[in-house]
Amino acid sequence: QVQLVESGGGLVQPGGSLRLSCVPARSIFSIAVMGWYRQTPGKERELVATFTSGGVTNYADSVKGRFTISRDNAKNTVYLQMNSLKPEDTAVYYCYANLRVSPVTSYAAYWGQGTQVTVSS
């Protein structure tokens, strides 16, 4: 089992910025995909942004031009820089990783426990 440790959520005014970070709590062998999803009450969890091992990024249309995902491969850490935040960005943000812990294990999906982002004046 792999725990993903998230940080950086909080309360921010509209137009403000926050940066989320996520790192596995133990050593891992390789990561195929890391990224962020978000969820609001009564709605399904939705993709925000992902970053593949090949350097390909994918963003939800609603955050393009405002959010930037990046990855520090040496630290196995993924970041989500969120600028020009809007009230509709308010949600619990979940880190996601598809990784394997050793050369002899299969890739598996893991989720963080979630961090609250609230955009309000």
Side-chain angles (χ1 to χ4, degrees):
Q1 196 58 275
V2 178
Q3 180 185 4
L4 300 178
V5 181
E6 303 150 330
S7 61
L11 172 65
V12 65
Q13 292 186 342
S17 298
L18 283 174
R19 189 174 85 150
L20 306 181
S21 63
C22 172
V23 59
R26 56 163 288 180
S27 63
I28 53 93
F29 180 69
S30 68
I31 299 173
V33 181
M34 281 190 85
W36 296 91
Y37 288 69
R38 67 187 181 187
Q39 188 170 23
T40 55
K43 292 188 176 182
E44 291 189 356
R45 194 170 295 184
E46 63 175 7
L47 178 144
V48 177
T50 57
F51 198 121
T52 73
S53 59
V56 177
T57 57
N58 185 34
Y59 293 93
D61 288 342
S62 59
V63 306
K64 285 180 180 177
R66 300 188 298 121
F67 291 10
T68 302
I69 191 168
S70 60
R71 188 165 143 182
D72 185 331
N73 289 326
K75 298 179 180 180
N76 290 323
T77 301
V78 67
Y79 304 96
L80 184 68
Q81 178 67 43
M82 304 184 293
N83 298 328
S84 303
L85 282 160
K86 305 175 181 180
E88 51 264 43
D89 295 317
T90 296
V92 177
Y93 284 69
Y94 294 91
C95 179
Y96 166 84
N98 189 292
L99 57 83
R100 54 177 174 166
V101 297
S102 79
V104 298
T105 59
S106 300
Y107 282 97
Y110 297 92
W111 293 92
Q113 64 181 18
T115 185
Q116 177 70 45
V117 171
T118 302
V119 184
S120 175
S121 55

